[in-house]
Amino acid sequence: GESVGLHLPTLSVQEGDNSIINCAYSNSASDYFIWYKQESGKGPQFIIDIRSNMDKRQGQRVTVLLNKTVKHLSLQIAATQPGDSAVYFCAEKANTNAGKSTFGDGTTLTVKP
Amino acid sequence: NAGVMQNPRHLVRRRGQEARLRCSPMKGHSHVYWYRQLPEEGLKFMVYLQKENIIDESGMPKERFSAEFPKEGPSILRIQQVVRGDSAAYFCASSLTGVADTQYFGPGTRLTVL
C-alpha cells in the first residue's frame, strides 16, 4: 500500500540556523506533494507544494526539493525562528486517487533560542 | 474571507452515544475531506465528498461512521455508538477543485469518549 514517512520524528535546531526536514514516499504515481505545519491544538497549515514536473520550488524562507528517482522530498527552512517550532507533515496525492492525501507521521521541530 | 470552520471544537461523549461533527468549507469550495488524527500520529484520510456526493470513502470504517455534504449546509461526520477508540482529533479540509488542489484545513474537533 501507499506510505509516506519522515526520516526523523524530532529535530532540534538553534535559532537562526537552517532546518532540513526529510520525507520519503512509496507511491510511484504520486504527482503532487505538500508540506504542512501543525502547531499544538490547531489544524495543519499549508506551507508549500510542488508538482512532480518540478524538482525545486521556493517560497518565503522555505524551499521544497523533490527527487523522484529515490522518492524523496525535503523541506528547507532558512534562518529558523522560534515561531517555526511545530510538527511538520509531508503529504502526497496522486491523480489516480483524486482528492485523497496521504500524510506522513510528522517531524517535531524545536527551535532553541 | 473566513477559512474552514468546524464545530464543536471539543466534544465529549459517553460510550454508546452519537457524535456529530460539522464542517463548513471555505467560501467557494465544494470539495470536502475528513481526516482523523490520533495523538503523536499523522492525519489519516477518511472520506472525500462533493455536494450531495461521496467521492471516496475508502478510509471510513465500515460500521458506525457516515458522512454527508448536503446541497445546503455544512458537511457532517456522524459516529454512532461511539467507543473509546474513537477518541481523536477530526479535521476537515476543503479545496476549490478535487484533483491535485491544495486542501485547507479547519481547526479540528477533538472528540473524547468517556
Side-chain angles (χ1 to χ4, degrees), chain B residues 32-101:
Chain B
V32 165
Y33 316 82
W34 286 93
Y35 293 83
R36 177 163 61 178
Q37 186 178 35
L38 296 172
E40 311 297 325
E41 293 187 10
L43 282 76
K44 304 300 182 191
F45 170 80
M46 298 181 74
V47 63
Y48 163 36
L49 310 104
Q50 282 183 268
K51 287 283 187 180
E52 301 184 276
N53 287 305
I54 296 175
I55 308 301
D56 181 353
E57 56 181 348
S58 58
M60 287 278 272
K62 298 297 181 205
E63 298 178 348
R64 302 188 298 109
F65 285 72
S66 63
E68 62 177 9
F69 189 16
K71 186 177 181 181
E72 301 291 337
S75 175
I76 307 286
L77 179 66
R78 183 183 178 206
I79 312 172
Q80 295 178 287
Q81 299 176 318
V82 296
V83 301
R84 289 223 173 103
D86 297 331
S87 295
Y90 292 83
F91 291 97
C92 168
S94 73
S95 67
L96 189 60
T97 67
V99 178
D101 192 16

